[in-house]
Amino acid sequence: MSGSAPQTLPPQAAVTGSHTRRWWTLGALALSLLIISLDLTILNVALPTMATDLHASTSDLQWFANAYNLVLSIVLLPAGLLGDRFGRKKLLIGALALFGLASAACAWSTTSGQLIASRAVLALGAGFVMILAIAMVPVLFSDEERPKAIGMVSTANFIGIPLGPIVGGWLLDHFWWGSVFLINVPLIAIAVVVVSLGVPETRSVERPRIDLGGILTSSVGLCALSYSAIKAGESGWGNSVTLSCLAAGVVLLVGFVLLQTKASRPLVDLSLFRSPSFTWGTILATLLSFAMFGLLFVLPQYLQAVLGASALRTGLFILPTVFGMIIGVQVSEKTGPRTGAKANVALGYFLVATGMIIGTFTTTSSGYGMLITWSAIVGLGMGFALPAAMDAALGALSRDRAGVGSAVVMSSRQVGGTLGVAILGTVLNSGYRSHLPLAGLPAVAVNAARRSVPAGIAVAQKMNSTSFLHSVRHAFTEAMGSTLWVCGSVALASVLLALFFLPRGLAAAAEEAPEKPREHAVRRAG
């Protein structure tokens, strides 16, 4: 009963008798992650309207996204610890409710400052939901069921990204801009009800101590590192603020690791990294986030700037990547028990590399057919690699450490994605500028065209120059090819890392992992 005291049960009790509705529970967790990922991109299509209605400056528009990303980087590790200590279910419900309330606050904001503050609170809820939903999987599901469960939540977390422009575009065609936030509220209400009724309370038996020093150094370090990547995207890697924040982030994170080695009850148990499965699963999932966010950075720009697609059509033409991922997840679930994580991750990365390399041959006249082909291959590879890498990492966790361990994985992926956008954005911008034919243009036009491909197109249209418009689109396509080469190279290197370092399967991982307790506190459901 819900009011009874927590009981310590063997792990199998958590995945059978104590929770027979766990697949319905997984649906609620997947829905929660879908809403979180949807919110990452649904805002983009509303920015022009919001700029007018809220009298927002360019800096304000950037901070609508940056406030979310920075708070998210701060909250991930503490969320895992607090879930392990106080109970994952109650914090998950609280985080969902906070996310819903913050969504309503975003929708009814009347100034840029209100919206930025509401987005920061939204990220606070999102960070807890992201970590606690993932942490529930190794607690609720057996080793045999866990790969399928991870495949479902990974897919849900991914498909919200391309769905954002589609849903947002439809809402803006029928309602005001606040509807892109209000859509979260009924979905969150459903998730809260299902989680409340169907999820058992779980927490660590040892009730880990709150490591304030670890929380402070890790949070500020991750924030500084993320901000350096954001600033690099705006001002370049040679900017003094970028370099200062990057240096501060590295120093703080090194200090965090040193503190963890000396702490009696650290925020992150560094013995986790004695497990090759956890270490390399985390690294490979992070590298995939790097490549994935790079793809999602260049693909919409190509669709809109080169092919002239609307925001809605852009979302639709990213769907082949989603469908490819869903197929990859389904196939890898069936082959995983026979082939193991090593084979699935290596095959997945090989497919990602193949798709990216094919994408480098894209031209301004390639059209949608080639785009659909290579992006679907990339999605197929992600479907093989991401759930398998995540399962390798999460499978090495004891249920006592599910929260903090999941937080380490997701924090690494968040940093990998942020750095992916910053580094690959630099490659893209440098390539674009180097291919622009600017000789003979006025200085004002040169400075404007060099800023970005949309700015270059605006210059061409203002000049009424078809030849310069073609040159701008060609320059971007060449730059996109260089960016995809970088992504493909990272993917090929990851094939080798998976083959050389990732254990073949769960049995091998268990033999190499440090000894870990397998009991946890479970509050019986219903």
Side-chain angles (χ1 to χ4, degrees):
M1 291 185 293
S2 61
S4 60
Q7 301 179 30
T8 300
L9 300 176
Q12 195 58 33
V15 296
T16 55
S18 68
H19 187 46
T20 58
R21 297 189 300 273
R22 59 191 179 278
W23 291 105
W24 285 102
T25 299
L26 184 68
L29 300 178
L31 176 62
S32 303
L33 291 172
L34 174 64
I35 298 166
I36 298 303
S37 61
L38 188 76
D39 197 71
L40 290 173
T41 54
I42 197 171
L43 175 68
N44 295 344
V45 295
L47 287 177
T49 306
M50 293 163 65
T52 301
D53 290 356
L54 297 177
H55 307 289
S57 65
T58 301
S59 177
D60 290 335
L61 295 178
Q62 292 172 334
W63 275 104
F64 292 163
N66 292 346
Y68 189 94
N69 292 330
L70 289 178
V71 173
L72 199 62
S73 67
I74 291 171
V75 76
L76 293 179
L77 281 177
L81 172 71
L82 294 173
D84 287 348
R85 178 176 173 83
F86 296 111
R88 301 172 187 119
K89 174 181 176 178
K90 64 169 65 74
L91 286 183
L92 178 58
I93 293 172
L96 286 168
L98 181 64
F99 190 87
L101 292 172
S103 296
C106 287
W108 298 109
S109 295
T110 57
T111 67
S112 295
Q114 289 177 8
L115 183 58
I116 291 169
S118 298
R119 286 281 290 171
V121 177
L122 196 72
L124 180 63
F128 273 85
V129 171
M130 187 185 299
I131 295 304
L132 297 172
I134 295 292
M136 287 282 191
V137 174
V139 173
L140 295 177
F141 293 90
S142 65
D143 288 347
E144 292 75 21
E145 295 172 324
R146 192 183 60 248
K148 182 176 182 180
I150 290 175
M152 290 179 64
V153 296
S154 297
T155 302
N157 195 29
F158 178 79
I159 63 175
I161 295 173
L163 285 179
I166 298 173
V167 175
W170 183 85
L171 288 171
L172 287 174
D173 284 343
H174 296 84
F175 307 100
W176 101 111
W177 63 263
S179 61
V180 303
F181 295 108
L182 282 184
I183 189 65
N184 295 336
V185 176
L187 298 176
I188 285 292
I190 294 170
V192 167
V193 170
V194 177
V195 170
S196 299
L197 296 177
V199 178
E201 182 61 282
T202 64
R203 66 169 68 97
S204 171
V205 171
E206 297 181 358
R207 303 288 297 275
R209 181 178 61 84
I210 304 299
D211 179 8
L212 293 178
I215 290 174
L216 183 63
T217 52
S218 65
S219 296
V220 178
L222 288 171
C223 181
L225 194 62
S226 297
Y227 185 74
S228 71
I230 292 169
K231 192 65 180 175
E234 298 173 359
S235 307
W237 288 98
N239 179 267
S240 59
V241 176
T242 300
L243 294 175
S244 298
C245 289
L246 179 62
V250 171
V251 169
L252 284 166
L253 291 176
V254 170
F256 167 70
V257 172
L258 294 176
L259 283 174
Q260 298 303 285
T261 61
K262 298 177 180 179
S264 58
R265 302 184 72 178
L267 172 62
V268 175
D269 185 354
L270 297 180
S271 67
L272 286 172
F273 293 97
R274 296 176 191 165
S275 164
S277 184
F278 178 82
T279 301
W280 289 103
T282 300
I283 291 172
L284 289 163
T286 300
L287 290 174
L288 193 61
S289 291
F290 179 95
M292 179 173 69
F293 276 83
L295 173 69
L296 294 173
F297 181 70
V298 300
L299 199 53
Q301 294 187 70
Y302 174 78
L303 283 161
Q304 293 181 16
V306 178
L307 300 185
S310 65
L312 180 60
R313 285 173 62 85
T314 296
L316 291 173
F317 278 102
I318 296 177
L319 286 179
T321 308
V322 177
F323 293 144
M325 183 176 184
I326 292 173
I327 293 171
V329 169
Q330 295 297 318
V331 175
S332 66
E333 284 176 6
K334 293 179 173 59
T335 61
R338 297 191 303 273
T339 59
K342 180 194 289 285
N344 274 352
V345 173
L347 174 61
Y349 265 116
F350 178 77
L351 290 170
V352 170
T354 300
M356 295 287 190
I357 292 171
I358 293 174
T360 63
F361 295 98
T362 303
T363 67
T364 55
S365 58
S366 294
Y368 292 109
M370 182 175 181
L371 179 74
I372 290 172
T373 300
W374 67 261
S375 64
I377 294 172
V378 172
L380 184 66
M382 290 178 179
F384 272 92
L386 182 58
M390 291 285 290
D391 186 52
L394 297 180
L397 299 174
S398 70
R399 292 181 173 90
D400 274 352
R401 298 187 291 183
V404 169
S406 300
V408 172
V409 177
M410 297 306 291
S411 294
S412 299
R413 289 188 59 197
Q414 171 71 14
V415 171
T418 303
L419 290 176
V421 171
I423 294 172
L424 296 174
T426 300
V427 174
L428 184 72
N429 290 335
S430 298
Y432 166 70
R433 291 166 182 167
S434 67
H435 286 91
L436 269 181
L438 299 172
L441 291 180
V444 175
V446 169
N447 292 334
R450 284 172 55 85
R451 282 203 302 268
S452 64
V453 64
I457 289 175
V459 169
Q461 291 172 341
K462 188 173 182 179
M463 295 169 53
N464 197 26
S465 172
T466 303
S467 60
F468 187 64
L469 179 63
H470 176 75
S471 297
V472 169
R473 288 173 170 165
H474 175 74
F476 178 81
T477 305
E478 291 293 316
M480 184 178 78
S482 301
T483 306
L484 293 177
W485 269 116
V486 174
C487 293
S489 300
V490 170
L492 285 175
S494 299
V495 173
L496 299 178
L497 293 176
L499 290 175
F500 280 103
F501 298 110
L502 195 64
R504 183 180 182 279
L506 292 174
E511 291 175 3
E512 295 175 316
E515 185 178 351
K516 55 186 181 180
R518 301 298 295 181
E519 293 185 344
H520 64 296
V522 177
R523 189 185 301 277
R524 289 185 179 272

